[in-house]
Amino acid sequence: MLGALIAQGEAGGIDRITLEALVEEASARGAHQAMSRLGLEDRSARRDMDDLRELLAAWRSAKRSALKALVGWVVRLGLAILCAGIAFQAGLLAMDMAA
């Protein structure tokens, strides 16, 4: 699309350098407007974005650690139940049903 517009402008008598400068200026203004709408136009925006990235990385790490811990506990519980079942079948754990 941009190439077609530049070709059209050149056909209309506008030189390529002027067209590229217009495109560059429009892109810069659009980016600035987008950043302003997001509240990221001030000097602390870079630090804010770095903090958000750090927070997101910490969240992902905590999520991964919690999942690993949960899987570990489930495996341990499964093995404990398996061992109890084997011990019961072998008669090591006698369940006295008479009361």
Side-chain angles (χ1 to χ4, degrees):
M1 179 75 173
L2 183 59
L5 288 173
I6 289 176
Q8 185 180 4
E10 286 177 333
I14 302 173
D15 65 343
R16 185 174 187 86
I17 295 172
T18 303
L19 288 172
E20 287 177 358
L22 286 171
V23 168
E24 187 175 333
E25 178 67 23
S27 299
R29 284 185 185 183
H32 182 71
Q33 285 177 354
M35 297 300 278
S36 293
R37 288 181 186 150
L38 293 173
L40 297 172
E41 77 277 2
D42 59 353
R43 293 185 185 268
S44 66
R46 175 65 185 189
R47 189 177 61 236
D48 292 343
M49 291 302 296
D50 289 342
D51 289 346
L52 285 172
R53 284 188 179 108
E54 191 175 318
L55 182 62
L56 184 59
W59 168 253
R60 288 177 178 158
S61 177
K63 218 171 41 168
R64 193 170 33 252
S65 296
L67 183 62
K68 283 182 181 181
L70 178 66
V71 169
W73 280 104
V74 168
V75 168
R76 286 184 191 103
L77 180 63
L79 288 174
I81 291 171
L82 181 66
C83 288
I86 291 171
F88 180 73
Q89 288 291 328
L92 298 175
L93 291 177
M95 296 187 99
D96 189 13
M97 295 293 177

